Amino acid sequence: MNDVLPYPLAKDGWLHTARWRYVEGLFRDICRRYGYREIRTPILEQTELFARSIGEATDIVSKEMFTFTDRGERSLTMKPEGTAPAVRACLEHKLFAAHPMLKLYYVGQNFRYERGQKGRYRQHQQLGVEVFGASDAAIDAEVILLAMEFYRALGVEDQELHINSVGTAASRPAYREALRDFVRPFLAEMSVEGQTRFEANPLRMLDTKDESDLRLLADAPRLVDFLDEDSRVHFETLQAYLTAAGVPYTLDHRLVRGFDYYSKTCFEIIGTKLGSQNALGGGGRYDGLVEECGGPSTPGIGFGLGMERCLLVLDALGIVLSVEDERPLAFLVTLGDEAKVRPAAVKLLADLRAAGLAADMDYRSRKFGQQAKRADELGARYLLVLGDGELERGVVGLRDQNTKEQSDVPLPEIIARLQELAP
RNA sequence: GCGAUUGUAGCUCAGUCGGUUAGAGUGCCAGGUUGUGGCCCUGGAGGUCGUGGGUUCGAUCCCCAUCAUUCGCCCCA
């Protein structure tokens, strides 16, 4: 995890709180428009939750969780992802009973114990949505549209949607064996990585960047040809919906997901103008998860994206966000006899702020030049000059930092004047 | 989890084949200039040399560990 700072650094400008707020705000806004409500779950969960939902054999559960024993001898884990905790929370509060259809979004921290790298952190922030209770592919399409709209709103125009269907837990074994049978004759020619996956998780053989493996797998059997009737119809329906919505997509027969709980639809949004780290986000359907966690049989689908990667992608694409303006409108500089001027300055500043204006001053009893420099640092658009002379005349100097033109404004009128000038 | 890499002033980086007081540029502060800045001149502050051990008369430098960074793998967001 990186610290997120109040000022942009020359290097790593993406670690600026204003940018994070902007992206989060955009996400919240889109979620609200799509009818999603926010859920916040705690960082700590019982380890059992993840072991059961994500799968004991997955890398995440077997070696990438922050797990510890608390004083009561309970095994707790800092959440490595957001879906299982959301399911747990809905079960605990019986939301599935009260709301057969739930559309949720979250913005939160996930933790994975692994080697840090650019765009991969032990603590990362994830933005995501989860929908429970709808099995029609129309909701799959909605989640996909939401994700793509989010990136479009950020200015990422060049996106590609990749979709696939991994079928159900019941139909997958047949495919897995077919894939193994296909690969077995030339297993020795596969990369070491591919050979490992052949045993551990055959589907993941598909998800390789190894050119040679890709050639060997060119004519491998496809998941879509092994789908059960329900999954096949669902997948075709999704494609029809996407076409109707005018969303181009690519059937990616090698697209699979890492967690055990996924079923049917899986998708990824790819940034086409990026290099190897081109995945903008992904998601999929998990119809068995709620039941697996002890709840009623409830279909579900979700999507997630990493905040850090999102910001790095924006940087890579040279996209400049119009973040919240944190500059003060006015910066008050004082001159002359401090004992007389300071009280008036404190009062004026208080009045400006009470009127809703962003105003500041230096507080360090420095000469004019230094105070003005501070005003520039902060990006103030107007300088308010207050000294003995101004006090006697009952005015304050108003100086436009762009034009450098300064004029006196009667003190009682300064607020109204600044309000006119405020953007 | 594996293999590398880097860590010295706020920032960007020198440097010490192990030896007095660790430097530069930039930034910061002050004065020149006690009412109108950004230039210039002069001066100043600022360092547990990532952290903890070890070797040594002596460690910022060598060794070990650890934390963090970056890169490749693994995995994923």
Side-chain angles (χ1 to χ4, degrees):
Chain A
M1 179 59 179
N2 288 287
D3 294 311
V4 185
L5 304 168
Y7 300 98
L9 300 177
K11 192 186 161 201
D12 296 333
W14 61 280
L15 292 171
H16 181 196
T17 24
R19 288 212 205 175
W20 286 58
R21 270 204 313 279
Y22 178 84
V23 173
E24 285 169 21
L26 194 75
F27 182 71
R28 287 176 196 283
D29 190 54
I30 289 174
C31 285
R32 183 189 52 75
R33 196 146 30 94
Y34 276 70
Y36 291 69
R37 297 198 181 195
E38 184 180 13
I39 183 167
R40 300 193 188 193
T41 64
I43 285 168
L44 292 176
E45 294 280 357
Q46 291 184 18
T47 303
E48 169 67 10
L49 173 66
F50 302 112
R52 202 163 57 184
S53 60
I54 300 174
E56 296 270 12
T58 60
D59 282 335
I60 286 187
V61 172
S62 62
K63 57 187 186 190
E64 293 177 4
M65 297 204 302
F66 279 93
T67 296
F68 63 95
T69 305
D70 75 0
R71 290 163 192 262
E73 300 300 314
R74 286 168 291 245
S75 179
L76 300 182
T77 293
M78 296 169 79
K79 60 177 170 181
E81 59 102 36
T83 304
V87 170
R88 192 229 83 231
C90 291
L91 281 173
E92 196 169 313
H93 301 285
K94 300 189 164 32
L95 294 190
F96 292 124
H99 306 274
M101 171 96 191
L102 278 168
K103 294 169 69 172
L104 309 171
Y105 79 88
Y106 57 84
V107 174
Q109 302 296 330
N110 288 349
F111 303 82
R112 293 195 195 158
Y113 190 86
E114 59 186 341
R115 207 42 171 242
Q117 253 177 63
K118 201 175 193 71
R120 191 180 79 181
Y121 306 96
R122 289 176 156 194
Q123 173 174 346
H124 74 270
Q125 180 158 316
Q126 190 160 66
L127 312 178
V129 304
E130 312 288 353
V131 180
F132 300 108
S135 55
D136 190 88
I139 195 68
D140 301 38
E142 176 180 286
V143 169
I144 289 169
L145 286 169
L146 184 156
M148 296 184 82
E149 176 161 354
F150 169 74
Y151 272 107
R152 206 176 310 117
L154 282 174
V156 183
E157 297 293 342
D158 301 293
Q159 315 175 23
E160 212 169 81
L161 171 63
H162 288 207
I163 59 172
N164 196 15
S165 176
V166 294
T168 63
S171 69
R172 226 170 296 150
Y175 174 72
R176 191 177 300 140
E177 283 320 304
L179 183 60
R180 273 205 176 113
D181 290 343
F182 174 83
V183 170
R184 194 166 287 119
F186 50 85
L187 180 59
E189 296 168 48
M190 295 277 286
S191 64
V192 177
E193 171 190 326
Q195 295 187 35
T196 307
R197 288 174 172 174
F198 178 87
E199 289 302 332
N201 192 344
L203 262 64
R204 294 208 54 80
M205 284 192 294
L206 300 170
D207 186 23
T208 180
K209 283 170 182 158
D210 187 290
E211 301 264 338
S212 166
D213 283 8
L214 287 175
R215 270 196 299 278
L216 294 174
L217 291 166
D219 297 317
R222 297 172 161 187
L223 267 163
V224 290
D225 297 322
F226 282 76
L227 297 180
D228 53 284
E229 182 64 8
D230 188 30
S231 296
R232 191 185 60 74
V233 171
H234 185 271
F235 194 42
E236 282 170 5
T237 310
L238 170 62
Q239 293 176 55
Y241 289 152
L242 290 173
T243 301
V247 179
Y249 58 86
T250 303
L251 287 181
D252 185 344
H253 299 292
R254 295 187 295 106
L255 177 61
V256 293
R257 305 254 90 201
F259 303 163
D260 284 358
Y261 59 57
Y262 281 105
S263 62
K264 295 183 180 170
T265 308
C266 62
F267 67 94
E268 240 173 49
I269 296 167
I270 307 289
T272 51
K273 296 220 170 140
L274 298 164
S276 57
Q277 287 260 19
N278 59 357
L280 301 177
R285 181 165 276 280
Y286 41 82
D287 288 346
L289 180 59
V290 175
E291 198 167 4
E292 177 65 35
C293 290
S297 174
T298 308
I301 180 170
F303 163 82
L305 65 99
M307 180 65 134
E308 289 86 351
R309 284 193 184 176
C310 172
L311 290 165
L312 286 169
V313 161
L314 295 180
D315 264 11
L317 294 175
I319 291 171
V320 178
L321 303 176
S322 49
V323 301
E324 180 187 344
D325 188 356
E326 297 180 285
R327 298 174 302 174
L329 176 68
F331 191 91
L332 180 58
V333 301
T334 57
L335 289 168
D337 186 351
E338 257 193 18
K340 284 188 201 159
V341 175
R342 269 295 165 101
V346 169
K347 170 75 164 70
L348 175 55
L349 207 50
D351 289 346
L352 293 171
R353 289 165 172 172
L357 298 169
D360 209 346
M361 63 180 282
D362 192 292
Y363 297 108
R364 283 178 295 182
S365 302
R366 304 195 299 168
K367 59 185 184 183
F368 182 91
Q370 303 290 18
Q371 295 183 57
K373 202 170 172 185
R374 171 77 179 156
D376 288 340
E377 268 170 40
L378 297 176
R381 271 156 292 175
Y382 295 95
L383 223 53
L384 295 177
V385 182
L386 193 63
D388 305 306
E390 284 78 7
L391 269 186
E392 278 169 28
R393 284 177 283 139
V395 301
V396 60
L398 176 64
R399 181 178 176 120
D400 186 315
Q401 286 288 68
N402 286 325
T403 65
K404 300 298 180 204
E405 284 169 18
Q406 184 171 334
S407 60
D408 284 348
V409 177
L411 264 171
E413 294 171 23
I414 188 63
I415 287 175
R417 184 66 176 281
L418 282 172
Q419 277 170 336
E420 282 171 26
L421 295 170

